[in-house]
């Protein structure tokens, strides 16, 4: 079997593809193990529902999200061969995606503040209203 | 990753060459995938925002706890693990097809493309089962009028709210109509459904209420209204990507079989189809995270 040959003048050099399938199988095992760890953590959350503090629950979820990012890195850089491309090209793909960092922070914070408003009846919960009324009455007397 | 020495004096921007050392088609595939990533990202972030804005969201371990042919066994995370491993494995066979293409091995490309297509079809089958299971599911939930009803999971309603306390359930049972009580009673004895329904209709409301409360039935409030729309919308959009990926892979398999790529001297089309297929797997990794794990 001879290696494939491009006649494309656009391509200055071919990335190295001479390696065997060892790396592919290695990444398969990495992805599988990361997934199993994620599932174990997910199962832990299920077993401990209502028994653990919010902080522990949230930290576990953050760890699961980080493991997901690791899986995404391996899929994109090895399976999609982005890691073999030249740096300029990698940057045109990755840099725009960095916007997601801000999207996630901004929108989740917005959702959270929405919840706070919902729970305080747009900042004027009946309890608060009563308190304000009492205070005003007290001030008048 | 792989380190390649760039020939000295290479002028990337002098024309005639790709400044990214990648063919036009592949660059455009990457940019398409980037735009698709923004679409999926926007969907998932919108889902996250709504989920953060309410006090109670559907518990995935409760919603997705079934497995085909396992009846009513409580198996959280099991079926979605199977789906995830099917997709990871089909990603591996895809990258192996690309690898065989680099070595101009036509038979190898054919073999791995077939395996990838089977993996994609298996995933779609799993998704079809899961959707059917949710859309035809029967769970007892309390409607806003305070009566109990048997609900499936659809874009309009779902039974995945907080659990009802015993007192709340007893009060709700008193308000529930005879017809609904019969429907609830017949969900209690599956398998003997027809017979169960027949005897249930003959019972009085009070007898039905006793039967239902004695069965230890778990009833809930109705779930967050947005859950169904987000779940079916996002997994549907992903499933449509899987479907189109399978179609693209079938076309690639046929073109390989007909020797089109061998004639051309390279299997770059397999690489481009592979990029799309891996992207589908990549999106699933995040859908898996957002809907099933956390």
């Amino acid at each position: 079997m001879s290696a494939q040959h491009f006649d494309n003048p656009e391509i200055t050099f071919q990335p190295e593809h001479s390696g065997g399938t060892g790396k592919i199988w290695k990444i398969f095992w990495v992805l599988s193990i990361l997934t199993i760890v994620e599932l174990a953590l997910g199962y832990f959350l299920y077993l401990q529902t209502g028994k653990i503090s919010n902080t522990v629950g949230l930290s576990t979820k953050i760890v699961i999200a980080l493991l997901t990012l690791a899986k995404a890195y391996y899929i994109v850089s090895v399976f999609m061969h982005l890691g073999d491309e030249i740096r300029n090209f990698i940057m045109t793909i990755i840099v725009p995606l960095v916007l997601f960092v801000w999207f996630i922070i901004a929108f989740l914070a917005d959702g959270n503040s929405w919840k706070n408003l919902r729970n305080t009846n747009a900042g004027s919960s009946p309890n608060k209203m009563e308190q304000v009324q009492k205070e005003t009455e007290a001030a008048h007397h | 990753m792989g380190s390649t020495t760039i020939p000295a004096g290479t002028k990337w921007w002098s024309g005639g060459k790709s400044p990214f050392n990648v063919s036009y088609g592949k660059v455009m595939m990457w940019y398409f995938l980037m735009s698709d990533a923004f679409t999926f990202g926007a969907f998932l972030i919108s889902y996250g925002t709504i989920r953060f804005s309410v006090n109670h969201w559907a518990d995935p371990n409760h919603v997705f706890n079934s497995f085909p042919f396992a009846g009513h066994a409580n198996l959280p995370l099991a079926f979605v693990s199977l789906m995830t491993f099917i997709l990871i494995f089909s990603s591996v066979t895809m990258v192996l097809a690309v690898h065989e293409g680099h070595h101009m091995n036509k038979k190898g490309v054919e073999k791995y493309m077939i395996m990838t297509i089977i993996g994609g079809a298996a995933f779609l089958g799993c998704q079809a089962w899961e959707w059917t299971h949710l859309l035809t599911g029967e769970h007892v939930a309390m409607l806003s009028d305070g009566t109990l009803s048997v609900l499936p999971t659809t874009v309009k309603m779902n039974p995945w709210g907080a659990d009802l306390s015993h007192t709340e359930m007893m009060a709700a049972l008193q308000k529930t109509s005879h017809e609904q009580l019969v429907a609830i009673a017949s969900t209690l004895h599956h398998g003997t459904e027809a017979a169960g329904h027949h005897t249930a209709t003959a019972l009085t409301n009070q007898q039905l209420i006793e039967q239902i409360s004695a069965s230890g039935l778990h009833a809930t409030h109705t779930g967050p209204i947005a859950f169904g729309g987000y779940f079916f919308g996002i997994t549907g959009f992903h499933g449509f990507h899987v479907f189109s990926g399978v179609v693209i892979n079938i076309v690639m398999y046929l073109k390989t079989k007909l020797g089109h790529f061998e004639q051309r001297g390279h299997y770059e089309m397999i690489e481009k189809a592979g990029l799309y297929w891996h992207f589908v797997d990549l999106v699933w990794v995040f859908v898996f995270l957002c809907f099933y794990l956390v």
Side-chain angles (χ1 to χ4, degrees):
Chain A
M1 282 171 286
S2 58
Q4 64 179 351
H5 171 72
F6 282 90
D7 291 328
N8 194 338
E10 287 175 355
I11 310 292
T12 311
F13 62 86
Q14 282 298 312
E16 199 56 59
H17 289 307
S18 57
T21 54
K23 190 172 189 188
I24 296 169
W25 287 108
K26 194 184 126 199
I27 298 305
F28 167 70
W29 288 113
V30 169
L31 291 175
S32 299
I33 289 164
L34 287 174
T35 306
I36 289 166
V37 173
E38 282 183 341
L39 287 166
L41 289 172
Y43 199 66
F44 164 77
L45 284 177
Y46 164 67
L47 292 178
Q48 301 295 314
T49 313
K51 291 182 210 155
I52 45 172
S53 66
N54 278 344
T55 331
V56 177
L58 194 64
S59 330
T60 314
K61 288 178 181 186
I62 289 170
V63 171
I64 297 176
L66 290 174
L67 292 172
T68 297
L69 282 179
K71 280 162 73 176
Y73 166 78
Y74 284 115
I75 292 171
V76 173
S77 96
V78 181
F79 283 3
M80 297 170 91
H81 295 294
L82 188 62
D84 298 335
E85 305 294 356
I86 66 170
R87 194 184 155 78
N88 283 352
F89 187 59
I90 298 175
M91 287 304 146
T92 63
I93 305 293
I94 300 302
V95 171
L97 293 178
V98 171
L99 279 170
F100 273 125
V101 175
W102 175 242
F103 287 166
I104 292 167
I105 295 170
F107 277 92
L108 294 189
D110 196 42
N112 196 48
S113 94
W114 197 352
K115 178 165 82 177
N116 293 338
L117 289 176
R118 201 195 290 277
N119 289 341
T120 55
N121 200 7
S124 57
S125 72
N127 291 340
K128 250 191 201 165
M129 288 287 272
E130 241 166 63
Q131 212 177 350
V132 171
Q133 242 165 13
K134 272 183 200 160
E135 276 165 16
T136 359
E137 273 169 31
H140 277 287
H141 287 291
Chain B
M1 297 290 118
S3 61
T4 320
T5 19
I6 298 165
T10 300
K11 292 190 177 62
W12 299 107
W13 298 97
S14 59
K17 279 179 267 191
S18 162
F20 294 139
N21 196 42
V22 178
S23 71
Y24 178 79
K26 223 185 200 181
V27 172
M28 290 304 127
M29 179 53 98
W30 270 107
Y31 289 163
F32 163 68
L33 295 180
M34 192 171 68
S35 74
D36 223 13
F38 276 105
T39 310
F40 271 110
F43 285 167
L44 286 173
I45 290 170
S46 153
Y47 159 80
T49 310
I50 296 299
R51 187 171 165 172
F52 265 58
S53 77
V54 295
N55 288 311
H56 185 277
W57 192 255
D59 177 1
N61 292 310
H62 204 175
V63 184
F64 311 106
N65 69 346
S66 325
F67 202 87
F69 311 114
H72 287 262
N74 177 33
L75 299 166
L77 293 170
F79 193 56
V80 72
S81 316
L82 175 70
M83 290 169 80
T84 302
F85 280 109
I86 288 174
L87 219 48
I88 291 180
F89 197 75
S90 85
S91 233
V92 172
T93 55
M94 184 77 233
V95 78
L96 287 170
V98 171
H99 181 85
E100 295 297 334
H102 286 152
H103 296 281
M104 294 300 286
N105 182 4
K106 182 168 171 252
K107 283 275 168 257
V109 175
E110 283 172 19
K111 179 176 101 185
Y112 287 121
M113 286 312 285
I114 285 284
M115 288 170 74
T116 309
I117 291 162
I118 291 170
F123 181 87
L124 286 173
C126 289
Q127 202 168 40
W129 181 85
E130 185 174 57
W131 276 38
T132 310
H133 181 79
L134 288 171
L135 290 166
T136 60
E138 291 179 330
H139 291 270
V140 180
M142 188 176 76
L143 304 179
S144 54
D145 64 359
T147 68
L148 292 178
S149 187
V150 181
L151 293 187
T153 305
T154 68
V155 292
K156 286 192 183 141
M157 57 183 161
N158 68 75
W160 308 116
D163 287 345
L164 288 184
S165 69
H166 186 71
T167 342
E168 281 175 311
M169 191 168 100
M170 292 317 289
L173 277 169
Q174 296 298 337
K175 286 192 212 165
T176 306
S177 69
H178 181 69
E179 206 182 7
Q180 280 303 322
L181 287 173
V182 171
I184 294 165
S186 48
T187 63
L188 299 175
H189 11 246
H190 268 284
T192 54
E193 211 165 313
H197 186 83
H198 195 71
T199 45
T201 5
L203 297 174
T204 66
N205 279 9
Q206 211 46 49
Q207 283 170 316
L208 284 166
I209 290 171
E210 273 165 32
Q211 200 182 78
I212 293 165
S213 59
S215 72
L217 173 82
H218 227 62
T220 55
H221 289 274
T222 49
I225 203 90
F227 175 75
Y230 277 114
F231 176 76
F232 289 114
I234 294 176
T235 59
F237 196 56
H238 176 263
F240 181 69
H241 276 72
V242 178
F243 172 74
S244 46
V246 169
V247 171
I248 291 168
N249 284 347
I250 289 172
V251 173
M252 290 303 127
Y253 168 74
L254 293 175
K255 283 179 78 73
T256 309
K257 188 96 185 155
L258 293 170
H260 289 181
F261 303 135
E262 199 168 54
Q263 257 169 8
R264 211 177 280 179
H266 59 83
Y267 282 79
E268 205 198 39
M269 283 306 284
I270 298 287
E271 283 183 51
K272 285 180 224 166
L275 285 177
Y276 185 74
W277 190 252
H278 295 309
F279 177 75
V280 166
D281 184 27
L282 182 68
V283 170
W284 179 254
V285 163
F286 288 98
V287 172
F288 175 56
L289 170 76
C290 298
F291 279 99
Y292 298 88
L293 276 175
V294 302

